[in-house]
Amino acid sequence: MLTVLVVVVVVVIGATSKHEIDTPSVAGGMSRDYSTESRISSQLNSQRSIIRRASGYRITDVKSAVYGSGSDKYLFVGGTGDFDEDDLYSTWRTAVNAEISSNVSTFTYPVSDAGGDGKAVCSTVRNRQSTVSTYSTAICAWSTGSSFGTVMPVPDGSSLSSSRNISYLTVASAMRRMRDDIES
């Protein structure tokens, strides 16, 4: 009887644990890039809009940072609140689609490894630059009952047409690595 009670207490405590979000100087082996943060206000505002919409406007204490190593740079936006991780796929897909323009298409995938507790998704974002040129990137997110975070690559060129394509698998891997240092 005592063993069952201990197991129940551990499960309940684990299920109700509260996460905190921080933006340390290094996340996922990449250094914080304040210079890039200061020049990407449009991308930052878009990602903040997506996370607010996807969380049902329940996100609080929103934090953001850019982390990079060489030309690989990722924008993180996340915060805390009271979330239903089981709704992540549908709310995320709706939020991303609400933010796109007519020449952009998206496809959302559930991600089996969220890099911790909770659930994760990624959306591939394809932007048609012309009739022959398409730029493809991704934005990934995780959600627990108390934390919500997004990770998206920062384009490496001055325009999307000069940027390289990045798969959702690459962004999901970066999200998992960064999450270890950002979420506690």
Side-chain angles (χ1 to χ4, degrees), residues 43 101 103-104 125-129 133-137 152-165:
Q43 189 174 359
S101 63
N103 63 334
V104 176
V125 180
R126 289 192 176 88
N127 187 342
R128 181 166 294 285
Q129 300 297 313
S133 173
T134 300
Y135 168 72
S136 180
T137 189
M152 180 177 190
V154 176
D156 58 356
S158 58
S159 71
L160 290 179
S161 60
S162 66
S163 296
R164 68 184 192 281
N165 292 324

Side-chain angles (χ1 to χ4, degrees), residues 16-154:
T16 61
S17 66
K18 298 289 183 192
H19 291 287
E20 296 294 326
I21 297 291
D22 193 16
T23 51
S25 60
V26 175
M30 297 177 284
S31 298
R32 189 155 178 190
D33 184 342
Y34 293 96
S35 174
T36 300
E37 285 178 39
S38 67
R39 69 174 176 79
I40 61 163
S41 61
S42 175
Q43 189 174 359
L44 176 59
N45 290 337
S46 177
Q47 198 160 335
R48 282 178 182 252
S49 177
I50 290 170
I51 198 170
R52 283 187 181 111
R53 194 175 288 119
S55 70
Y57 300 93
R58 293 181 308 238
I59 193 163
T60 59
D61 194 27
V62 177
K63 297 181 179 180
S64 61
V66 171
Y67 294 96
S69 176
S71 63
D72 293 334
K73 297 182 188 310
Y74 292 91
L75 170 61
F76 162 77
V77 176
T80 56
D82 183 20
F83 312 112
D84 184 351
E85 64 198 59
D86 291 328
D87 292 339
L88 178 62
Y89 179 83
S90 62
T91 59
W92 178 255
R93 189 176 60 183
T94 300
V96 169
N97 286 336
E99 193 68 18
I100 64 170
S101 63
S102 61
N103 63 334
V104 176
S105 63
T106 66
F107 189 83
T108 300
Y109 305 88
V111 175
S112 61
D113 179 5
D117 60 324
K119 298 202 174 166
V121 295
C122 289
S123 291
T124 296
V125 180
R126 289 192 176 88
N127 187 342
R128 181 166 294 285
Q129 300 297 313
S130 68
T131 57
V132 294
S133 173
T134 300
Y135 168 72
S136 180
T137 189
I139 180 172
C140 295
W142 83 82
S143 178
T144 69
S146 63
S147 67
F148 201 125
T150 67
V151 173
M152 180 177 190
V154 176

Side-chain angles (χ1 to χ4, degrees), residues 162-181:
S162 66
S163 296
R164 68 184 192 281
N165 292 324
I166 301 173
S167 81
Y168 82 93
L169 296 171
T170 300
V171 180
S173 177
M175 176 189 70
R176 287 188 290 269
R177 289 190 321 271
M178 291 169 65
R179 184 178 175 190
D180 263 352
D181 297 316

